[in-house]
Every structure is written in C-alpha cells, then in structure tokens.
PDB file of all heavy atoms in Angstrom:
ATOM      1  N   ASN A   1      39.744-115.009  27.635  1.00 98.00           N
ATOM      2  CA  ASN A   1      39.386-114.465  28.943  1.00 98.00           C
ATOM      3  C   ASN A   1      40.389-113.361  29.257  1.00 98.00           C
ATOM      4  O   ASN A   1      41.586-113.624  29.415  1.00 98.00           O
ATOM      5  CB  ASN A   1      39.445-115.570  30.006  1.00 98.00           C
ATOM      6  CG  ASN A   1      39.010-115.091  31.386  1.00 98.00           C
ATOM      7  OD1 ASN A   1      39.053-113.910  31.695  1.00 98.00           O
ATOM      8  ND2 ASN A   1      38.616-116.035  32.230  1.00 98.00           N
ATOM      9  N   ILE A   2      39.932-112.120  29.346  1.00 98.00           N
ATOM     10  CA  ILE A   2      40.884-111.020  29.475  1.00 98.00           C
ATOM     11  C   ILE A   2      41.583-111.016  30.835  1.00 98.00           C
ATOM     12  O   ILE A   2      42.613-110.347  30.998  1.00 98.00           O
ATOM     13  CB  ILE A   2      40.231-109.650  29.195  1.00 98.00           C
ATOM     14  CG1 ILE A   2      39.217-109.274  30.265  1.00 98.00           C
ATOM     15  CG2 ILE A   2      39.582-109.634  27.817  1.00 98.00           C
ATOM     16  CD1 ILE A   2      38.704-107.856  30.115  1.00 98.00           C
ATOM     17  N   ALA A   3      41.035-111.773  31.794  1.00 98.00           N
ATOM     18  CA  ALA A   3      41.688-111.892  33.099  1.00 98.00           C
ATOM     19  C   ALA A   3      42.535-113.148  33.198  1.00 98.00           C
ATOM     20  O   ALA A   3      43.175-113.375  34.220  1.00 98.00           O
ATOM     21  CB  ALA A   3      40.631-111.892  34.208  1.00 98.00           C
ATOM     22  N   GLY A   4      42.553-113.960  32.132  1.00 98.00           N
ATOM     23  CA  GLY A   4      43.251-115.238  32.172  1.00 98.00           C
ATOM     24  C   GLY A   4      42.291-116.339  32.567  1.00 98.00           C
ATOM     25  O   GLY A   4      41.382-116.126  33.377  1.00 98.00           O
ATOM     26  N   ASN A   5      42.466-117.524  31.993  1.00 98.00           N
ATOM     27  CA  ASN A   5      41.549-118.627  32.251  1.00 98.00           C
ATOM     28  C   ASN A   5      41.357-118.868  33.742  1.00 98.00           C
ATOM     29  O   ASN A   5      42.308-118.859  34.521  1.00 98.00           O
ATOM     30  CB  ASN A   5      42.048-119.909  31.587  1.00 98.00           C
ATOM     31  CG  ASN A   5      41.786-119.914  30.098  1.00 98.00           C
ATOM     32  OD1 ASN A   5      41.231-118.963  29.542  1.00 98.00           O
ATOM     33  ND2 ASN A   5      42.179-120.988  29.431  1.00 98.00           N
ATOM     34  N   GLY A   6      40.089-119.066  34.105  1.00 98.00           N
ATOM     35  CA  GLY A   6      39.747-119.338  35.495  1.00 98.00           C
ATOM     36  C   GLY A   6      39.617-118.110  36.367  1.00 98.00           C
ATOM     37  O   GLY A   6      39.337-118.241  37.568  1.00 98.00           O
ATOM     38  N   ASN A   7      39.769-116.922  35.779  1.00 98.00           N
ATOM     39  CA  ASN A   7      39.770-115.693  36.575  1.00 98.00           C
ATOM     40  C   ASN A   7      38.623-114.754  36.202  1.00 98.00           C
ATOM     41  O   ASN A   7      38.135-114.762  35.068  1.00 98.00           O
ATOM     42  CB  ASN A   7      41.090-114.943  36.405  1.00 98.00           C
ATOM     43  CG  ASN A   7      42.263-115.740  36.939  1.00 98.00           C
ATOM     44  OD1 ASN A   7      42.187-116.301  38.027  1.00 98.00           O
ATOM     45  ND2 ASN A   7      43.347-115.801  36.178  1.00 98.00           N
ATOM     46  N   CYS A   8      38.232-113.936  37.173  1.00 98.00           N
ATOM     47  CA  CYS A   8      37.222-112.905  36.973  1.00 98.00           C
ATOM     48  C   CYS A   8      37.895-111.536  36.972  1.00 98.00           C
ATOM     49  O   CYS A   8      39.076-111.413  37.317  1.00 98.00           O
ATOM     50  CB  CYS A   8      36.173-112.974  38.086  1.00 98.00           C
ATOM     51  SG  CYS A   8      35.275-114.544  38.157  1.00 98.00           S
ATOM     52  N   VAL A   9      37.144-110.533  36.571  1.00 98.00           N
ATOM     53  CA  VAL A   9      37.655-109.164  36.564  1.00 98.00           C
ATOM     54  C   VAL A   9      36.941-108.352  37.638  1.00 98.00           C
ATOM     55  O   VAL A   9      35.824-108.693  38.043  1.00 98.00           O
ATOM     56  CB  VAL A   9      37.448-108.487  35.188  1.00 98.00           C
ATOM     57  CG1 VAL A   9      38.201-109.226  34.096  1.00 98.00           C
ATOM     58  CG2 VAL A   9      35.960-108.391  34.848  1.00 98.00           C
ATOM     59  N   PRO A  10      37.546-107.276  38.132  1.00 96.00           N
ATOM     60  CA  PRO A  10      36.821-106.372  39.036  1.00 96.00           C
ATOM     61  C   PRO A  10      35.642-105.752  38.293  1.00 96.00           C
ATOM     62  O   PRO A  10      35.670-105.599  37.070  1.00 96.00           O
ATOM     63  CB  PRO A  10      37.858-105.307  39.399  1.00 96.00           C
ATOM     64  CG  PRO A  10      39.186-105.908  39.052  1.00 96.00           C
ATOM     65  CD  PRO A  10      38.943-106.836  37.901  1.00 96.00           C
ATOM     66  N   ARG A  11      34.588-105.404  39.035  1.00 94.00           N
ATOM     67  CA  ARG A  11      33.446-104.757  38.382  1.00 94.00           C
ATOM     68  C   ARG A  11      33.917-103.472  37.711  1.00 94.00           C
ATOM     69  O   ARG A  11      34.456-102.580  38.369  1.00 94.00           O
ATOM     70  CB  ARG A  11      32.359-104.418  39.410  1.00 94.00           C
ATOM     71  CG  ARG A  11      31.138-103.709  38.782  1.00 94.00           C
ATOM     72  CD  ARG A  11      30.117-103.303  39.824  1.00 94.00           C
ATOM     73  NE  ARG A  11      30.642-102.313  40.753  1.00 94.00           N
ATOM     74  CZ  ARG A  11      30.628-100.998  40.521  1.00 94.00           C
ATOM     75  NH1 ARG A  11      30.117-100.516  39.388  1.00 94.00           N
ATOM     76  NH2 ARG A  11      31.121-100.169  41.422  1.00 94.00           N
ATOM     77  N   PRO A  12      33.737-103.368  36.383  1.00 95.00           N
ATOM     78  CA  PRO A  12      34.149-102.133  35.706  1.00 95.00           C
ATOM     79  C   PRO A  12      33.238-100.968  36.080  1.00 95.00           C
ATOM     80  O   PRO A  12      32.068-101.154  36.403  1.00 95.00           O
ATOM     81  CB  PRO A  12      34.023-102.488  34.217  1.00 95.00           C
ATOM     82  CG  PRO A  12      33.024-103.592  34.172  1.00 95.00           C
ATOM     83  CD  PRO A  12      33.180-104.364  35.449  1.00 95.00           C
ATOM     84  N   ASP A  13      33.780 -99.775  36.013  1.00 93.00           N
ATOM     85  CA  ASP A  13      33.019 -98.589  36.413  1.00 93.00           C
ATOM     86  C   ASP A  13      31.769 -98.395  35.569  1.00 93.00           C
ATOM     87  O   ASP A  13      30.782 -97.815  36.051  1.00 93.00           O
ATOM     88  CB  ASP A  13      33.899 -97.336  36.317  1.00 93.00           C
ATOM     89  CG  ASP A  13      35.004 -97.322  37.358  1.00 93.00           C
ATOM     90  OD1 ASP A  13      34.862 -98.027  38.379  1.00 93.00           O
ATOM     91  OD2 ASP A  13      36.014 -96.611  37.151  1.00 93.00           O
ATOM     92  N   HIS A  14      31.788 -98.861  34.317  1.00 94.00           N
ATOM     93  CA  HIS A  14      30.638 -98.607  33.458  1.00 94.00           C
ATOM     94  C   HIS A  14      29.453 -99.505  33.790  1.00 94.00           C
ATOM     95  O   HIS A  14      28.345 -99.264  33.299  1.00 94.00           O
ATOM     96  CB  HIS A  14      31.018 -98.769  31.977  1.00 94.00           C
ATOM     97  CG  HIS A  14      31.395-100.159  31.583  1.00 94.00           C
ATOM     98  ND1 HIS A  14      32.711-100.559  31.456  1.00 94.00           N
ATOM     99  CD2 HIS A  14      30.652-101.249  31.277  1.00 94.00           C
ATOM    100  CE1 HIS A  14      32.754-101.832  31.092  1.00 94.00           C
ATOM    101  NE2 HIS A  14      31.511-102.271  30.994  1.00 94.00           N
ATOM    102  N   ARG A  15      29.651-100.564  34.597  1.00 95.00           N
ATOM    103  CA  ARG A  15      28.503-101.371  35.030  1.00 95.00           C
ATOM    104  C   ARG A  15      27.999-100.832  36.354  1.00 95.00           C
ATOM    105  O   ARG A  15      28.664-100.966  37.374  1.00 95.00           O
ATOM    106  CB  ARG A  15      28.869-102.855  35.168  1.00 95.00           C
ATOM    107  CG  ARG A  15      27.639-103.694  35.565  1.00 95.00           C
ATOM    108  CD  ARG A  15      27.901-105.181  35.581  1.00 95.00           C
ATOM    109  NE  ARG A  15      28.674-105.625  36.722  1.00 95.00           N
ATOM    110  CZ  ARG A  15      28.209-105.750  37.973  1.00 95.00           C
ATOM    111  NH1 ARG A  15      26.960-105.410  38.257  1.00 95.00           N
ATOM    112  NH2 ARG A  15      29.000-106.185  38.938  1.00 95.00           N
ATOM    113  N   PRO A  16      26.814-100.206  36.362  1.00 93.00           N
ATOM    114  CA  PRO A  16      26.321 -99.595  37.597  1.00 93.00           C
ATOM    115  C   PRO A  16      26.124-100.631  38.703  1.00 93.00           C
ATOM    116  O   PRO A  16      25.769-101.785  38.448  1.00 93.00           O
ATOM    117  CB  PRO A  16      24.970 -98.983  37.182  1.00 93.00           C
ATOM    118  CG  PRO A  16      25.076 -98.806  35.705  1.00 93.00           C
ATOM    119  CD  PRO A  16      25.916 -99.951  35.226  1.00 93.00           C
ATOM    120  N   LEU A  17      26.336-100.208  39.913  1.00 88.00           N
ATOM    121  CA  LEU A  17      26.088-101.035  41.092  1.00 88.00           C
ATOM    122  C   LEU A  17      24.617-100.901  41.442  1.00 88.00           C
ATOM    123  O   LEU A  17      24.146 -99.828  41.807  1.00 88.00           O
ATOM    124  CB  LEU A  17      26.959-100.573  42.263  1.00 88.00           C
ATOM    125  CG  LEU A  17      26.917-101.397  43.545  1.00 88.00           C
ATOM    126  CD1 LEU A  17      27.499-102.782  43.318  1.00 88.00           C
ATOM    127  CD2 LEU A  17      27.675-100.680  44.659  1.00 88.00           C
ATOM    128  N   THR A  18      23.864-102.001  41.308  1.00 78.00           N
ATOM    129  CA  THR A  18      22.430-101.948  41.553  1.00 78.00           C
ATOM    130  C   THR A  18      22.142-101.988  43.061  1.00 78.00           C
ATOM    131  O   THR A  18      22.973-102.411  43.868  1.00 78.00           O
ATOM    132  CB  THR A  18      21.712-103.130  40.884  1.00 78.00           C
ATOM    133  OG1 THR A  18      22.120-104.355  41.515  1.00 78.00           O
ATOM    134  CG2 THR A  18      22.049-103.197  39.397  1.00 78.00           C
ATOM    135  N   LYS A  19      20.928-101.559  43.438  1.00 72.00           N
ATOM    136  CA  LYS A  19      20.514-101.620  44.840  1.00 72.00           C
ATOM    137  C   LYS A  19      20.540-103.063  45.339  1.00 72.00           C
ATOM    138  O   LYS A  19      20.974-103.337  46.458  1.00 72.00           O
ATOM    139  CB  LYS A  19      19.113-101.027  44.999  1.00 72.00           C
ATOM    140  CG  LYS A  19      19.034 -99.525  44.767  1.00 72.00           C
ATOM    141  CD  LYS A  19      17.616 -99.023  44.967  1.00 72.00           C
ATOM    142  CE  LYS A  19      17.532 -97.525  44.719  1.00 72.00           C
ATOM    143  NZ  LYS A  19      16.137 -97.021  44.885  1.00 72.00           N
ATOM    144  N   PHE A  20      20.072-103.972  44.507  1.00 68.00           N
ATOM    145  CA  PHE A  20      20.060-105.386  44.868  1.00 68.00           C
ATOM    146  C   PHE A  20      21.483-105.878  45.122  1.00 68.00           C
ATOM    147  O   PHE A  20      21.755-106.558  46.115  1.00 68.00           O
ATOM    148  CB  PHE A  20      19.420-106.193  43.732  1.00 68.00           C
ATOM    149  CG  PHE A  20      19.563-107.674  43.869  1.00 68.00           C
ATOM    150  CD1 PHE A  20      18.721-108.399  44.689  1.00 68.00           C
ATOM    151  CD2 PHE A  20      20.546-108.359  43.159  1.00 68.00           C
ATOM    152  CE1 PHE A  20      18.853-109.770  44.817  1.00 68.00           C
ATOM    153  CE2 PHE A  20      20.691-109.735  43.278  1.00 68.00           C
ATOM    154  CZ  PHE A  20      19.829-110.445  44.111  1.00 68.00           C
ATOM    155  N   GLU A  21      22.395-105.507  44.235  1.00 79.00           N
ATOM    156  CA  GLU A  21      23.788-105.930  44.366  1.00 79.00           C
ATOM    157  C   GLU A  21      24.427-105.304  45.601  1.00 79.00           C
ATOM    158  O   GLU A  21      25.186-105.964  46.330  1.00 79.00           O
ATOM    159  CB  GLU A  21      24.549-105.523  43.114  1.00 79.00           C
ATOM    160  CG  GLU A  21      25.983-106.018  43.052  1.00 79.00           C
ATOM    161  CD  GLU A  21      26.678-105.604  41.772  1.00 79.00           C
ATOM    162  OE1 GLU A  21      26.001-105.043  40.872  1.00 79.00           O
ATOM    163  OE2 GLU A  21      27.894-105.831  41.667  1.00 79.00           O
ATOM    164  N   ASN A  22      24.108-104.047  45.867  1.00 75.00           N
ATOM    165  CA  ASN A  22      24.665-103.357  47.029  1.00 75.00           C
ATOM    166  C   ASN A  22      24.198-104.017  48.328  1.00 75.00           C
ATOM    167  O   ASN A  22      24.985-104.180  49.272  1.00 75.00           O
ATOM    168  CB  ASN A  22      24.254-101.887  47.002  1.00 75.00           C
ATOM    169  CG  ASN A  22      25.214-101.011  47.780  1.00 75.00           C
ATOM    170  OD1 ASN A  22      26.391-101.311  47.904  1.00 75.00           O
ATOM    171  ND2 ASN A  22      24.693 -99.918  48.318  1.00 75.00           N
ATOM    172  N   ARG A  23      22.915-104.406  48.377  1.00 70.00           N
ATOM    173  CA  ARG A  23      22.405-105.114  49.553  1.00 70.00           C
ATOM    174  C   ARG A  23      23.138-106.433  49.737  1.00 70.00           C
ATOM    175  O   ARG A  23      23.450-106.839  50.853  1.00 70.00           O
ATOM    176  CB  ARG A  23      20.899-105.366  49.419  1.00 70.00           C
ATOM    177  CG  ARG A  23      20.031-104.155  49.643  1.00 70.00           C
ATOM    178  CD  ARG A  23      18.602-104.560  49.965  1.00 70.00           C
ATOM    179  NE  ARG A  23      18.025-105.411  48.918  1.00 70.00           N
ATOM    180  CZ  ARG A  23      17.343-104.959  47.887  1.00 70.00           C
ATOM    181  NH1 ARG A  23      17.160-103.646  47.746  1.00 70.00           N
ATOM    182  NH2 ARG A  23      16.847-105.775  46.992  1.00 70.00           N
ATOM    183  N   GLY A  24      23.410-107.105  48.613  1.00 65.00           N
ATOM    184  CA  GLY A  24      24.123-108.372  48.693  1.00 65.00           C
ATOM    185  C   GLY A  24      25.513-108.207  49.272  1.00 65.00           C
ATOM    186  O   GLY A  24      25.973-109.032  50.072  1.00 65.00           O
ATOM    187  N   HIS A  25      26.187-107.120  48.884  1.00 70.00           N
ATOM    188  CA  HIS A  25      27.528-106.855  49.407  1.00 70.00           C
ATOM    189  C   HIS A  25      27.492-106.669  50.921  1.00 70.00           C
ATOM    190  O   HIS A  25      28.370-107.153  51.635  1.00 70.00           O
ATOM    191  CB  HIS A  25      28.126-105.610  48.742  1.00 70.00           C
ATOM    192  CG  HIS A  25      28.677-105.862  47.373  1.00 70.00           C
ATOM    193  ND1 HIS A  25      29.563-106.881  47.095  1.00 70.00           N
ATOM    194  CD2 HIS A  25      28.465-105.221  46.188  1.00 70.00           C
ATOM    195  CE1 HIS A  25      29.871-106.855  45.809  1.00 70.00           C
ATOM    196  NE2 HIS A  25      29.217-105.865  45.237  1.00 70.00           N
ATOM    197  N   THR A  26      26.483-105.942  51.404  1.00 72.00           N
ATOM    198  CA  THR A  26      26.399-105.702  52.844  1.00 72.00           C
ATOM    199  C   THR A  26      26.134-106.983  53.609  1.00 72.00           C
ATOM    200  O   THR A  26      26.440-107.074  54.806  1.00 72.00           O
ATOM    201  CB  THR A  26      25.288-104.671  53.163  1.00 72.00           C
ATOM    202  OG1 THR A  26      24.019-105.195  52.768  1.00 72.00           O
ATOM    203  CG2 THR A  26      25.557-103.356  52.451  1.00 72.00           C
ATOM    204  N   ARG A  27      25.570-107.976  52.952  1.00 70.00           N
ATOM    205  CA  ARG A  27      25.290-109.263  53.593  1.00 70.00           C
ATOM    206  C   ARG A  27      26.379-110.291  53.319  1.00 70.00           C
ATOM    207  O   ARG A  27      26.249-111.457  53.666  1.00 70.00           O
ATOM    208  CB  ARG A  27      23.947-109.806  53.097  1.00 70.00           C
ATOM    209  CG  ARG A  27      22.761-108.916  53.459  1.00 70.00           C
ATOM    210  CD  ARG A  27      21.487-109.358  52.776  1.00 70.00           C
ATOM    211  NE  ARG A  27      20.376-108.456  53.073  1.00 70.00           N
ATOM    212  CZ  ARG A  27      19.187-108.526  52.491  1.00 70.00           C
ATOM    213  NH1 ARG A  27      18.956-109.457  51.562  1.00 70.00           N
ATOM    214  NH2 ARG A  27      18.225-107.679  52.819  1.00 70.00           N
ATOM    215  N   GLY A  28      27.449-109.832  52.682  1.00 70.00           N
ATOM    216  CA  GLY A  28      28.563-110.723  52.426  1.00 70.00           C
ATOM    217  C   GLY A  28      28.426-111.600  51.201  1.00 70.00           C
ATOM    218  O   GLY A  28      29.176-112.559  51.024  1.00 70.00           O
ATOM    219  N   HIS A  29      27.469-111.289  50.329  1.00 75.00           N
ATOM    220  CA  HIS A  29      27.286-112.065  49.110  1.00 75.00           C
ATOM    221  C   HIS A  29      28.311-111.636  48.061  1.00 75.00           C
ATOM    222  O   HIS A  29      28.597-110.449  47.913  1.00 75.00           O
ATOM    223  CB  HIS A  29      25.879-111.864  48.541  1.00 75.00           C
ATOM    224  CG  HIS A  29      24.800-112.326  49.464  1.00 75.00           C
ATOM    225  ND1 HIS A  29      23.465-112.088  49.228  1.00 75.00           N
ATOM    226  CD2 HIS A  29      24.850-113.018  50.630  1.00 75.00           C
ATOM    227  CE1 HIS A  29      22.747-112.605  50.216  1.00 75.00           C
ATOM    228  NE2 HIS A  29      23.565-113.171  51.073  1.00 75.00           N
ATOM    229  N   GLY A  30      28.829-112.579  47.327  1.00 89.00           N
ATOM    230  CA  GLY A  30      29.793-112.260  46.286  1.00 89.00           C
ATOM    231  C   GLY A  30      29.124-111.906  44.974  1.00 89.00           C
ATOM    232  O   GLY A  30      27.993-112.307  44.695  1.00 89.00           O
ATOM    233  N   VAL A  31      29.811-111.130  44.160  1.00 92.00           N
ATOM    234  CA  VAL A  31      29.394-110.827  42.787  1.00 92.00           C
ATOM    235  C   VAL A  31      30.629-110.959  41.919  1.00 92.00           C
ATOM    236  O   VAL A  31      31.706-110.464  42.279  1.00 92.00           O
ATOM    237  CB  VAL A  31      28.796-109.410  42.661  1.00 92.00           C
ATOM    238  CG1 VAL A  31      28.516-109.075  41.201  1.00 92.00           C
ATOM    239  CG2 VAL A  31      27.510-109.302  43.475  1.00 92.00           C
ATOM    240  N   TRP A  32      30.484-111.638  40.779  1.00 95.00           N
ATOM    241  CA  TRP A  32      31.617-111.916  39.919  1.00 95.00           C
ATOM    242  C   TRP A  32      31.348-111.411  38.506  1.00 95.00           C
ATOM    243  O   TRP A  32      30.277-111.647  37.940  1.00 95.00           O
ATOM    244  CB  TRP A  32      31.887-113.415  39.885  1.00 95.00           C
ATOM    245  CG  TRP A  32      32.285-113.962  41.221  1.00 95.00           C
ATOM    246  CD1 TRP A  32      33.542-114.070  41.741  1.00 95.00           C
ATOM    247  CD2 TRP A  32      31.403-114.487  42.233  1.00 95.00           C
ATOM    248  NE1 TRP A  32      33.510-114.619  42.991  1.00 95.00           N
ATOM    249  CE2 TRP A  32      32.214-114.885  43.330  1.00 95.00           C
ATOM    250  CE3 TRP A  32      30.022-114.660  42.321  1.00 95.00           C
ATOM    251  CZ2 TRP A  32      31.684-115.443  44.487  1.00 95.00           C
ATOM    252  CZ3 TRP A  32      29.479-115.193  43.486  1.00 95.00           C
ATOM    253  CH2 TRP A  32      30.311-115.582  44.546  1.00 95.00           C
ATOM    254  N   ASP A  33      32.327-110.699  37.930  1.00 97.00           N
ATOM    255  CA  ASP A  33      32.277-110.235  36.545  1.00 97.00           C
ATOM    256  C   ASP A  33      33.292-111.008  35.734  1.00 97.00           C
ATOM    257  O   ASP A  33      34.429-111.233  36.194  1.00 97.00           O
ATOM    258  CB  ASP A  33      32.612-108.743  36.471  1.00 97.00           C
ATOM    259  CG  ASP A  33      31.476-107.859  36.920  1.00 97.00           C
ATOM    260  OD1 ASP A  33      31.215-107.786  38.146  1.00 97.00           O
ATOM    261  OD2 ASP A  33      30.833-107.233  36.050  1.00 97.00           O
ATOM    262  N   MET A  34      32.905-111.385  34.533  1.00 98.00           N
ATOM    263  CA  MET A  34      33.795-112.080  33.606  1.00 98.00           C
ATOM    264  C   MET A  34      33.706-111.408  32.251  1.00 98.00           C
ATOM    265  O   MET A  34      32.611-111.067  31.794  1.00 98.00           O
ATOM    266  CB  MET A  34      33.401-113.557  33.480  1.00 98.00           C
ATOM    267  CG  MET A  34      33.686-114.373  34.736  1.00 98.00           C
ATOM    268  SD  MET A  34      32.403-115.630  35.049  1.00 98.00           S
ATOM    269  CE  MET A  34      31.095-114.609  35.743  1.00 98.00           C
ATOM    270  N   MET A  35      34.849-111.203  31.605  1.00 98.00           N
ATOM    271  CA  MET A  35      34.866-110.536  30.308  1.00 98.00           C
ATOM    272  C   MET A  35      35.732-111.345  29.330  1.00 98.00           C
ATOM    273  O   MET A  35      36.886-111.679  29.632  1.00 98.00           O
ATOM    274  CB  MET A  35      35.406-109.117  30.441  1.00 98.00           C
ATOM    275  CG  MET A  35      34.562-108.257  31.391  1.00 98.00           C
ATOM    276  SD  MET A  35      35.183-106.568  31.610  1.00 98.00           S
ATOM    277  CE  MET A  35      34.634-105.827  30.078  1.00 98.00           C
ATOM    278  N   TYR A  36      35.133-111.619  28.179  1.00 98.00           N
ATOM    279  CA  TYR A  36      35.804-112.405  27.145  1.00 98.00           C
ATOM    280  C   TYR A  36      35.876-111.591  25.863  1.00 98.00           C
ATOM    281  O   TYR A  36      34.878-110.998  25.429  1.00 98.00           O
ATOM    282  CB  TYR A  36      35.052-113.720  26.885  1.00 98.00           C
ATOM    283  CG  TYR A  36      35.241-114.712  28.011  1.00 98.00           C
ATOM    284  CD1 TYR A  36      34.488-114.619  29.172  1.00 98.00           C
ATOM    285  CD2 TYR A  36      36.199-115.730  27.921  1.00 98.00           C
ATOM    286  CE1 TYR A  36      34.671-115.511  30.220  1.00 98.00           C
ATOM    287  CE2 TYR A  36      36.393-116.629  28.950  1.00 98.00           C
ATOM    288  CZ  TYR A  36      35.630-116.511  30.094  1.00 98.00           C
ATOM    289  OH  TYR A  36      35.829-117.406  31.136  1.00 98.00           O
ATOM    290  N   ARG A  37      37.055-111.578  25.254  1.00 98.00           N
ATOM    291  CA  ARG A  37      37.282-110.841  24.017  1.00 98.00           C
ATOM    292  C   ARG A  37      37.208-111.802  22.832  1.00 98.00           C
ATOM    293  O   ARG A  37      37.756-112.913  22.876  1.00 98.00           O
ATOM    294  CB  ARG A  37      38.644-110.157  24.050  1.00 98.00           C
ATOM    295  CG  ARG A  37      38.981-109.357  22.788  1.00 98.00           C
ATOM    296  CD  ARG A  37      40.370-108.764  22.880  1.00 98.00           C
ATOM    297  NE  ARG A  37      40.479-107.744  23.917  1.00 98.00           N
ATOM    298  CZ  ARG A  37      41.156-107.875  25.051  1.00 98.00           C
ATOM    299  NH1 ARG A  37      41.823-108.996  25.301  1.00 98.00           N
ATOM    300  NH2 ARG A  37      41.192-106.906  25.933  1.00 98.00           N
ATOM    301  N   LYS A  38      36.527-111.358  21.759  1.00 98.00           N
ATOM    302  CA  LYS A  38      36.488-112.166  20.539  1.00 98.00           C
ATOM    303  C   LYS A  38      37.802-112.034  19.789  1.00 98.00           C
ATOM    304  O   LYS A  38      38.267-110.919  19.507  1.00 98.00           O
ATOM    305  CB  LYS A  38      35.333-111.730  19.632  1.00 98.00           C
ATOM    306  CG  LYS A  38      35.300-112.475  18.298  1.00 98.00           C
ATOM    307  CD  LYS A  38      34.168-112.033  17.403  1.00 98.00           C
ATOM    308  CE  LYS A  38      34.237-112.653  16.032  1.00 98.00           C
ATOM    309  NZ  LYS A  38      33.090-112.293  15.172  1.00 98.00           N
ATOM    310  N   LEU A  39      38.383-113.172  19.456  1.00 98.00           N
ATOM    311  CA  LEU A  39      39.620-113.204  18.688  1.00 98.00           C
ATOM    312  C   LEU A  39      39.308-113.322  17.202  1.00 98.00           C
ATOM    313  O   LEU A  39      38.237-113.779  16.799  1.00 98.00           O
ATOM    314  CB  LEU A  39      40.479-114.381  19.133  1.00 98.00           C
ATOM    315  CG  LEU A  39      40.858-114.423  20.615  1.00 98.00           C
ATOM    316  CD1 LEU A  39      41.604-115.721  20.926  1.00 98.00           C
ATOM    317  CD2 LEU A  39      41.659-113.205  21.021  1.00 98.00           C
ATOM    318  N   ALA A  40      40.258-112.923  16.376  1.00 97.00           N
ATOM    319  CA  ALA A  40      40.108-113.093  14.937  1.00 97.00           C
ATOM    320  C   ALA A  40      40.115-114.575  14.589  1.00 97.00           C
ATOM    321  O   ALA A  40      40.722-115.398  15.283  1.00 97.00           O
ATOM    322  CB  ALA A  40      41.239-112.376  14.199  1.00 97.00           C
ATOM    323  N   ASP A  41      39.423-114.920  13.502  1.00 87.00           N
ATOM    324  CA  ASP A  41      39.402-116.322  13.049  1.00 87.00           C
ATOM    325  C   ASP A  41      40.789-116.766  12.626  1.00 87.00           C
ATOM    326  O   ASP A  41      41.587-115.978  12.137  1.00 87.00           O
ATOM    327  CB  ASP A  41      38.415-116.476  11.885  1.00 87.00           C
ATOM    328  CG  ASP A  41      36.985-116.245  12.329  1.00 87.00           C
ATOM    329  OD1 ASP A  41      36.654-116.588  13.484  1.00 87.00           O
ATOM    330  OD2 ASP A  41      36.213-115.704  11.525  1.00 87.00           O
TER     331      ASP A  41
END
C-alpha cells in the first residue's frame, strides 16, 4: 500500500473528476482512492 496499511491516497491528477463524483462532493459524500504497488517475488 503506497500510502501505508490502512491508508488512502489523495485523488491523483490523472484520474478525472467525474460529474457524478463532483455532485457527491457538493453533497458531502466521500470518495476514496487506494493504490497498491506490486512487489518483486
């Protein structure tokens, strides 16, 4: 977990903010991004 176990990351710039998501923000709805990196075997 690139943010550390149990943590989320801020929405990265490359993920567009959708109209649906923007409406949710105005209504106080949360949105969470999580990013996991593959480790070598």
